[in-house]
Amino acid sequence: MKNCLVFDLDGTLVDTAPDLMTAHNYVMKKYGYEEKPLESIRHLAGRGAAAMLIRSIDAQGNLIKKNPIDPQTHKQMTDDFISFYRKNISGHSTIRKNVISLLDWCKEKDIICAVCTNKREDLAIKLLKEINLYKYFDYVAGADTFDYRKPDPRHLTDILDILDIDKKNSIMLGDSETDANTAKAARVHFILINDGYTEQKLEDIHHDHLIEDFEVVKQIASNYLTIK
């Protein structure tokens, strides 16, 4: 019987906000918008480049409503963001506490690990390789891997189907409402990571467990999964 842990990437496995915000401010400055400090838009870090830029600009006094950005300009801003971010993807990103300890434990226990992220697949793989985490994962599904993305539950369930994992033998770990809603709709156990990229209060977000340290996931997984 195979077991699986499925991880979100940004804000869950890795605190990528510093590098995402550097790319954000590069684009904002280039196009004449206000640069922002990290904490003011940290909650947008896991939303994808296009959504991050639009929501950040809209937060600056509803500028989009007053002076709408045409689709072509928005596309160019997004392309510039991705180009800059690709070159600077891991400069200040840090792996969350005890992630490596958990992933090593999963290897020892023959637990399959996968990534389900709304970051583009090529960028997700590049980041994982640069921070030496890629070797731990059997499958990485990004925002463009399928024809749908989180919170569509198929983003998660297709990963499980590809890996031939029964849902009852899987757990999803994430830091945001998007991850929680995905797991809930897919009927997969969900562990919520504290101090991630979320807009809602933690108590208002669906979860089976709330954690700060990945070390405790070993015991949680042992309770849910059949581990040798």
Side-chain angles (χ1 to χ4, degrees):
M1 183 181 297
K2 295 192 292 184
N3 297 298
C4 184
L5 297 186
V6 182
F7 299 82
D8 170 56
L9 179 53
D10 296 274
T12 299
L13 287 169
V14 186
D15 181 8
T16 55
D19 290 317
L20 288 165
M21 293 307 101
T22 299
H24 166 277
N25 283 337
Y26 165 80
V27 172
M28 288 298 170
K29 183 177 181 179
K30 179 176 180 178
Y31 285 85
Y33 290 102
E34 177 188 356
E35 296 178 64
K36 289 189 171 183
L38 173 61
E39 291 308 316
S40 70
I41 48 175
R42 180 181 172 86
H43 62 282
L44 298 178
R47 301 300 191 268
M52 175 191 289
L53 294 173
I54 284 291
R55 293 188 61 186
S56 175
I57 294 170
D58 191 47
Q60 298 176 25
N62 293 315
L63 292 178
I64 289 178
K65 295 177 181 177
K66 297 177 182 177
N67 184 24
I69 298 176
D70 65 88
Q72 184 58 40
T73 300
H74 182 219
K75 181 181 183 302
Q76 187 59 54
M77 291 177 72
T78 303
D79 289 345
D80 286 350
F81 178 102
I82 292 171
S83 177
F84 181 93
Y85 181 62
R86 180 181 287 111
K87 297 173 184 175
N88 303 274
I89 198 167
S90 62
H92 297 93
S93 293
T94 55
I95 301 170
R96 296 290 295 262
K97 183 178 180 180
N98 283 324
V99 161
I100 293 176
S101 174
L102 173 60
L103 294 174
D104 282 334
W105 179 80
C106 288
K107 286 287 187 183
E108 294 172 6
K109 299 298 182 181
D110 293 322
I111 299 173
I112 294 171
C113 293
V115 170
C116 180
T117 175
N118 278 349
K119 186 189 289 295
R120 282 175 33 162
E121 182 182 313
D122 63 319
L123 294 178
I125 291 174
K126 179 176 173 62
L127 173 61
L128 290 168
K129 286 182 176 180
E130 288 194 12
I131 60 176
N132 297 315
L133 289 185
Y134 184 67
K135 62 186 178 181
Y136 290 103
F137 296 99
D138 294 87
Y139 195 81
V140 176
D144 53 346
T145 303
F146 308 124
D147 292 331
Y148 31 80
R149 53 187 282 184
K150 298 181 296 186
D152 191 314
R154 292 175 295 175
H155 198 173
L156 171 58
T157 56
D158 275 16
I159 293 172
L160 298 177
D161 288 343
I162 289 168
L163 295 172
D164 192 28
I165 305 290
D166 193 305
K167 287 194 293 184
K168 69 176 182 294
N169 298 323
S170 66
I171 302 172
M172 184 175 186
L173 300 89
D175 68 297
S176 71
E177 306 91 329
T178 301
D179 301 317
N181 293 337
T182 303
K184 184 177 182 180
R187 297 183 179 179
V188 170
H189 298 301
F190 181 66
I191 298 174
L192 178 63
I193 314 303
N194 192 18
D195 194 32
Y197 309 151
T198 181
E199 295 177 272
Q200 292 180 311
K201 295 179 180 179
L202 294 175
E203 57 265 29
D204 294 332
I205 300 174
H206 162 77
H207 60 271
D208 297 300
H209 298 274
L210 175 65
I211 69 164
E212 294 187 11
D213 187 338
F214 277 81
E215 192 67 24
V216 303
V217 175
K218 297 175 185 178
Q219 184 58 55
I220 295 171
S222 297
N223 291 338
Y224 282 114
L225 310 177
T226 304
I227 300 174
K228 297 179 182 179

